[in-house]
Amino acid sequence: MRGLTGEAGADPEPGGARGTFQAAFTAVAVLAALGLLVSACGTGGTGARDEGPAHTSSSVAGAVASASPAASDTPQPAVDPVRLIKDDPKVSATVKHDLKPCSADEYPVDVSYGKLTGGSVDDIVINVLTCGDAVGVGAYVYRERGDRYENVFGAEEPPVYAEIDRGDLVVTKQVYEKDDPVADPSGEDVITYRWSGTAFTKAFTTRNEYSKAVGGGASPTPVPDPDN
């Protein structure tokens, strides 16, 4: 073994002196390593923590969480659908008059949020129903315009119900023949509308006629719309 002070073949130092020197050298090395570690931590992680796999998922998540959220990720504040209907001059006086709580402060309205008109904020679809049998008496679409919502679609021929289907507005109208009970219509018209940039235009219509052979009606039978 080489001596600590010379080249290969030099006379080794006495055992006690060499052991004392090695212990002192080891202590100095440990102190130096600790000093480097403290220095790296104090400078904000510019040492080994910034290399390769030292980046953990928690550190990445912290960076993402501290960043400002994109506009599309910001939750849209909920609106008061009853107030929107009551304040809308395009909604008929009959619908407004009949829109009353079914119990306590629970109003018969269904509300959906989604993309229909290509705006940066979700559009709002509101269906006004009756309390007793949940028949749709009005269906409306509202689009954000500045600091308010504008009515861009309305259907008030009951029974009617509007939904958002993959970016299209789908309106269902029940079809009744003479003596049909409210719970058992003869069929339905399903009308698909698409936004043209300024208004909704009809894309196509499907007529479903219900069988009367089974009590309560059977599965609807689609009938092509003669207009398409």
Side-chain angles (χ1 to χ4, degrees):
M1 176 180 176
R2 297 189 181 192
L4 292 175
T5 58
E7 307 215 353
D11 291 336
E13 297 182 9
R18 182 173 59 187
T20 300
F21 186 82
Q22 287 177 335
F25 181 81
T26 302
V28 172
V30 170
L31 289 174
L34 288 173
L36 289 174
L37 178 59
V38 171
S39 174
C41 292
T43 56
T46 57
R49 287 188 63 186
D50 287 341
E51 297 178 4
H55 284 290
T56 64
S57 58
S58 60
S59 64
V60 174
V64 172
S66 63
S68 299
S72 59
D73 295 334
T74 303
Q76 178 172 336
V79 301
D80 182 347
V82 176
R83 179 51 53 198
L84 204 57
I85 293 294
K86 295 278 191 181
D87 292 344
D88 186 357
K90 293 184 179 180
V91 175
S92 70
T94 300
V95 170
K96 291 180 181 180
H97 178 269
D98 293 340
L99 181 54
K100 299 176 181 179
C102 296
S103 61
D105 59 350
E106 296 294 328
Y107 284 81
V109 294
D110 288 347
V111 185
S112 301
Y113 297 85
K115 301 295 185 184
L116 283 172
T117 66
S120 59
V121 176
D122 284 349
D123 303 299
I124 304 173
V125 176
I126 301 177
N127 288 282
V128 180
L129 315 171
T130 60
C131 288
D133 43 27
V135 172
V137 296
Y140 311 92
V141 178
Y142 290 89
R143 183 174 190 259
E144 186 193 43
R145 185 172 184 180
D147 59 351
R148 64 185 181 88
Y149 282 93
E150 176 187 21
N151 183 333
V152 292
F153 179 88
E156 295 181 333
E157 303 82 17
V160 62
Y161 197 88
E163 298 175 282
I164 301 172
D165 184 6
R166 292 169 291 184
D168 291 335
L169 175 65
V170 178
V171 177
T172 301
K173 296 182 178 181
Q174 301 293 330
V175 177
Y176 290 88
E177 295 181 359
K178 186 178 180 180
D179 298 329
D180 281 348
V182 173
D184 190 17
S186 293
E188 64 182 12
D189 287 334
V190 181
I191 309 168
T192 299
Y193 295 89
R194 288 177 181 155
W195 184 251
S196 66
T198 57
F200 283 99
T201 58
K202 185 171 72 171
F204 53 87
T205 301
T206 300
R207 164 69 64 88
N208 295 322
E209 293 183 351
Y210 300 116
S211 171
K212 297 294 184 180
V214 179
S219 299
T221 302
V223 177
D225 185 355
D227 295 335
N228 293 301

